[in-house]
Amino acid sequence: MGKYILKRLLWMIVIILGTSFIIFTILYFTPGDPARMIAGGNATAEEVENLRHIMGLDQSYFQQLKTYFSDTFLHFDLGTSWVYNKPVIDEMRTRLPRTVIIGLSAMALNLAIGLLMGIFASTHEGKWQDSLTMGIAMVFISCPDFWVALMLILLLSAKLGILPSYGIGGAEYYVMPIICSAIGGIAVNARQTRASMLGVFREDYITTARAKGQRERKVVFRHMLPNALMPIITSIGNGFARIVAGSAVIESVFSVPGIGLYLLTAINARDYPVVRSCVLFFAAFTSIAMLLVDLVYAFVDPRIKAQYSSARRGGAGK
Amino acid sequence: MRKRQNDVYSRYRRAEKTSLFLETIQRLWENPGAKVGIVLFAVIVAACVFAPVVAPYDVNETDIKNLFAGPSAAHFCGTDAMGRDLFTRLLYGGRYSLALGLCAAVFGSALGIVIGSIAGYFGGKTETLIMRLMDIWSSLPSILLCILISAVLGPGFFNTVLALSVGNVPIGVRLIRGQILAERSKEYLEAAESIKCSRISIMFRHLLPNVISPVIVDATMGIGMTITMAAALSYIGLGVQPPTPEWGAMLADARSHILNYPYLIMFPGLIIALTVLAINLIGDGLRDALDPKLRK
Amino acid sequence: MKAKTGKLTALFLSAAMAISMAACGNNAETETEAEVKQEAAETEEAVKDVAPVAQEGRKTTADSDERYEKICIGLQSDPKDLAPENTSGDNSLLYVNWNYYEQLFDYRNNDYVPILAKGYTEIDDLHWQVEIYDYIQDSEGNPITADDVVFCYNNLVDSGKALKYDKFDHIEKIDDYTVEFVWTSPIDGIGDLEWPWCRTHIYSQKAYEEGNFHEKPVATGPYKVVEYTVGSRLVLEANDNYWQKDELRDPEHLANVQTIEYDIISETSQHVIALSTGQIQYSEYVPAENLDEFRDGGQYADGNDVYTTQGSGLRVLMGNNDPGSLMSDVNLRKAVFYALDNEAIVAAAGTGLPARAIGTSFFPDYCEEWESAEGNYMAVCDPELAKEYLEKTSYNGETLKILGTSNEVDKNIMTMMQALLLNVGIETEIISEDEALVQSDALDPTKWDMLITNAGGGCQSGEWNRFTNYNEFGTGFNMAYIHDEKLQEFLVLCNSLEGHTAEKMTEMHQYYLDNAYYHALSSTAMNGVYSEDFATLVYRESEFLRAGACDYYLD
């Protein structure tokens, strides 16, 4: 198991390096001159050229790539934002909690509601409750999240005036962003839960449990759910990564200064150190989320655990 | 001798395929959810395709005297900030939005199928290399990749299609490869190999038809996802050029009018939701119809 | 402020008249009349949007030592980096900067008003000395001396962000409180020293080296930064340690309110919500359609009001004069310009005032007679004439590219232009890109045929400089790919102290028109929605609200 984790971690480093290389190259060839953006509309050609030199943009591709890689991976320095002139890492540290709070809460919310909806639907399979719940899930998954956000603002802020519509502050500022981030995941989880619940529905051990005269509620929660949860765990990693990535749009609707909005403003301003660092963050985040999910999965599912142990024995050649 | 064997075999496959196709359609139609989806989708597509006939106005016809007219008999969905008929623009906009979703999903999946089959069929180093590349590729969530590519390429229809499809590729690759792995050991492939069919022919004539159904389901659901993603792109200022009446762009244009003229944002949002809903219902139905476990 | 209001009324009246005179193409007579009526109604409305005057008998901050407690102002974008090297940038930065940074002089009506400086002496053409007060200190008590001033100038030059410094050679310390500026050539242009003197921030070298000016600058202004949450809000507190004696304190550098909070709200519709719920007290970003709700009789009128004034900005459309573009044909340019209807364009944009000449009546050196000049294609919309000009060209249904930024106003303008040009048979394609792309594509003559740009400046002739001067881009061509010696001579002359006359400027304007080089689309209008806590509103350079200098009701 330890070796497996080590192997995965090493592979993660390769992924990060690869992503960095790709993103650097993409940005290098992106049209639009960062120096001109920073110099502003009043600058003359000479002033812009001067700034390009100071920013190191007049160097060749390989030189710039070398500087970037040695700064990032040898000195662990993400650089300084060209626009904010602030170390990127500091700014990310301030912004990260906001994005993560929204992401985690949204994840918890969509898991809780999604599971309940899925269980409810599966225990009423084929009845109208089933169709209704799944219908609702279907509608949730079909609505663009930023549109839901706009509708919520219209209702809760403009008409009823009970929630603030922008910015950060107390908990009330996070309510709408969390709901909007969660909405797509609710549907995914509900459908997933229902499907896997139905999958274990006719397994022998469930029949046995029923035959033993256990109460239906106990059968559902004690015997069925733990087994049905397996496939759901795999979708958690994906779901979390998707929520965090989707933060760019939600954060821009609600003016939440998180990582996503940081990335969006940086793209518009051609603030490459920020774009590179944010993308790196999202890549690392996704990889770690996936790794954790795989580990948890291996841990809960004895079959897979056994597989790893045997693989280790075989691989080590002992 | 070998040739005859081959002929018999492929004739058998073809016969099976035709009946399978018909059966799938039939099963799809029997699914009530999918039926609703198909009807809804057909209505939307027809309305968009025949937009010039159905639409009461010209798509970019501005009417300065009639800015922000509310929904009425003359303008079913009202008019926008430039006095253009919203209903007309929704119809025409569907052409772009649907085309965006369809092109991006098909293009992304097609690329995924090709790469995935190469990986799955050849195996070995090729497979490892391709799959590792896919790991890097998919380490970035698709919406982010899409935003980045779109910013690099600049706005426009084809650039947006490209940006939208890029994120779909690794999913298709993984699906196809997984299927092929499962299929690789089956007898009919051994049979084909034993009669020395070329690898390409084995891959595309024998292997693909057997493994393609999950990709089709995935691509169908992908169309819906892509339409919402395209809308989100337009919303943050990327995407198609004005005055293209793409649904997401219409939403983005309307957002500063949200307080006074909420219908400007309600109608495009609703039509996106309805379309995606229809597509998802069809996708769901397809999944059930193609599922061998449910097929008796 | 009063004079401004008068001018605005006149402008609206002239707009109404011009419309009634302009036989605008397809419009039936009745429609034109209706427009006049509508315009007249707007005129009345505009008169209502005057600057507030302190009501008699109410207690305000002006006649008391007390300060108003707190004011929240909505901004649309992040001021980003607060460091003093950033003298240019988007409006948000300029908006907040004046609160904590001060300069040697303030720029008011083309004049230099001493702030940190006591005054200046011209030793000769190229050597000017400036003496500063000997008791200046920043909000943390660091004294400011000639050494600091020299440091500030050198720091700005070294950063590569010193703009419009072409007359600046270097600066020297003469004694503890006197510095000498050495110029590269005699100071003979209008506003030559606006940037070196009035936009170069002065602060203590010690504070700069010890602190983090990017987020928490320490300077001499009437306010100090206490909290800056990037992307969300900036909070300022009154500087109780302000250096200047009360009797000498400049009225624009007061601190009548204890706390100023700038909230960054990117969606304009959210500004309306924030104002209506009292989260903010002032915003200039309310969409035009929502303004009525804050005027008398509107649903949020209780406690709020609107102040409308014209800004200095001008949206200019230019044809590409590069021989590779069809627009290099003067007749095609005239055809395009005559086909455009600035009234319709402004209606589509939802903001601004239609331009009637290449200029902004905001500036004192703008002449209203330009509007009635011969061949002024901006004052009329004449599709028939446009078609006549079109026939003289080789244009044969080619698609012309209109380039502009992807903000909503530009997009709407381009969409309306496309519709108007189609009326006379000119096919166009809209290319809207983010600002960075537009900036680089504008420098490539193959990427566009028509370009929309925003010009601004300290005076009319200065505003012309940006798009007319062929030395701005280092290519020998100006923004519209024109290299016209005569035009350049005009520009230099109009921007010199002796040539800056109505006569010369009118000649230059006529030269613009005869060659149809540019078409001004609209000038910016600033609609400030303010809460009735404000007794008066004070703006720096008529554009940036100085919250500290405004007067507030205390009762």
Side-chain angles (χ1 to χ4, degrees), chain B residues 60 62 64-65 67-68 81-82 84 151 154-155 234-235 237 240-243 252-261, chain C residues 27 31 35 267-269 272-273 287 289-290 293 344 347-348 406 408 411-412 415-416 418-419 430-433 437:
Chain B
N60 286 326
T62 54
I64 293 290
K65 305 281 164 324
L67 308 183
F68 299 117
M82 231 148 314
R84 294 173 295 194
S234 294
Y235 183 81
V240 297
Q241 290 286 15
D253 288 346
R255 69 183 148 172
S256 62
H257 313 298
I258 179 172
L259 291 172
N260 293 40
Y261 313 105
Chain C
N27 283 358
E31 276 171 349
E35 264 182 37
E267 296 286 335
T268 53
S269 56
V272 180
I273 300 176
E289 69 199 50
N290 295 98
E293 293 157 28
S406 55
E408 208 199 323
K411 270 200 216 167
N412 288 346
T415 310
M416 183 49 79
Q418 188 177 50
I430 295 171
I431 303 176
S432 79
E433 304 172 326
L437 269 185

